[in-house]
Structure formats: structure tokens, C-alpha cells
């Protein structure tokens, strides 16, 4: 597959929109989630949630989701549970004025179901004297799988998201 987030350069981000305008800065925010220290990563995840999923989804949301799945599956990403929770937020969000954006975003989340199932089944491997770093990821993946199983929205009515 190549390097983490390597395919971001193939997306025409400047042609997509998020809640506050052009999505051209989304690749930088994804990079901060992937490689930032704790405060930087937390801030980037919060920014991304505001930009692409709360309250409506945007055309940039579906383009961003595959990279969120990549981050969730990468052990070195600091807040993989937060990334999985953002995916669940996207699945719960919609855009009544643009149902195709909603459907595309939900399909993109559902396409990562196998990754969520793998993360939900991850073994407990506690660090010396501490909690398992996999525990929060497992819990978030399990919540996301439950959300996928229960998903129902007007944009997806009669057509469960592809991959679900």
C-alpha cells in the first residue's frame, strides 16, 4: 500500500469543501493526526471533526474517510480510538440538502468494516505495569461495528451502506 497517507496526493482537495470552505488543508490535518504529539494530534482530530462531520457531512467527508481508516489501522497513531469515534460520528451525520454526500460518506465508513472487526478482536497486550493500549481501540471499534449494524438514515434507506 505504500506509506501511511501516501495516496492523499491523489485527491483534488482544493475542489472539495468542508464546513468552513476549501478542504485543501485536510491533508495537513490528517498528517498532524498521524505524526503529531499528543496535543497536536488531539487538536487536529477535533478540527477535522468540526470540518467534515458536525453536524452535516460534506463532499470532502467521503474523500477523507479512507485515510481515517488507514490511521485507525496504524499502530503508531496516538489516538486510534478517537479516529474510530470520528468514523462513528460521520456514520451518524448526514446532509439533507446533499443526500449523495451522505450516502458516499456512509459507504466509505462501511467499507472499513473488516478493519473495525479486526481492531475489535485485537488481543490484550498490556505494556509493562500498565493498561493495554489496544483496550480503547477495541472498545471504539466495537461501538463502530454496533453503529454499522444499526445504521438507518434517509439517504441510505432501503440500501444499507456498501460494505455493511
Amino acid at each position: 500500500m505504500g506509506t501511511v497517507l501516501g495516496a492523499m496526493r491523489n485527491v483534488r482537495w482544493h475542489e472539495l469543501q468542508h464546513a468552513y470552505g476549501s478542504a485543501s488543508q485536510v491533508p495537513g490535518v490528517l498528517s498532524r493526526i498521524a505524526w503529531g504529539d499528543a496535543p497536536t494530534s488531539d487538536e487536529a482530530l477535533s478540527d477535522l471533526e468540526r470540518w467534515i462531520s458536525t453536524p452535516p457531512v460534506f463532499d470532502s467527508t467521503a474523500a477523507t474517510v479512507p485515510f481515517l481508516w488507514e490511521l485507525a489501522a496504524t499502530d503508531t497513531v496516538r489516538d486510534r480510538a478517537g479516529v474510530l469515534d470520528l468514523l462513528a460520528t460521520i456514520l451518524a451525520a448526514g446532509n439533507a440538502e446533499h443526500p449523495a454526500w451522505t450516502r458516499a460518506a456512509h459507504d466509505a465508513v462501511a467499507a472499513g468494516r473488516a478493519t473495525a472487526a479486526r481492531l475489535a478482536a485485537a488481543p490484550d497486550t498490556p505494556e509493562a505495569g500498565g493498561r493495554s493500549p489496544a483496550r480503547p481501540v477495541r472498545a471504539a471499534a466495537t461501538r463502530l461495528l454496533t453503529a454499522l449494524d444499526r445504521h438507518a438514515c434517509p439517504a441510505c434507506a432501503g440500501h444499507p451502506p456498501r460494505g455493511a
Side-chain angles (χ1 to χ4, degrees), residues 19-83:
Y20 301 101
S22 171
S24 61
Q25 64 275 67
V26 168
V29 173
L30 288 167
S31 294
R32 288 181 12 230
I33 294 168
W35 297 291
D37 60 14
T40 300
S41 178
D42 290 346
E43 179 183 4
L45 196 56
S46 177
D47 287 348
L48 195 60
E49 182 172 3
R50 280 193 325 275
W51 291 355
I52 68 169
S53 70
T54 307
V57 297
F58 296 86
D59 58 350
S60 64
T61 306
T64 304
V65 167
F67 301 108
L68 292 173
W69 277 119
E70 193 174 344
L71 294 173
T74 302
D75 290 336
T76 57
V77 171
R78 195 194 75 69
D79 190 5
R80 295 187 306 146
V83 171

Side-chain angles (χ1 to χ4, degrees), residues 6-25:
M8 277 194 312
R9 67 183 170 279
N10 299 328
V11 177
R12 300 175 76 138
W13 296 102
H14 65 283
E15 295 178 4
L16 302 174
Q17 297 291 308
H18 62 56
Y20 301 101
S22 171
S24 61
Q25 64 275 67

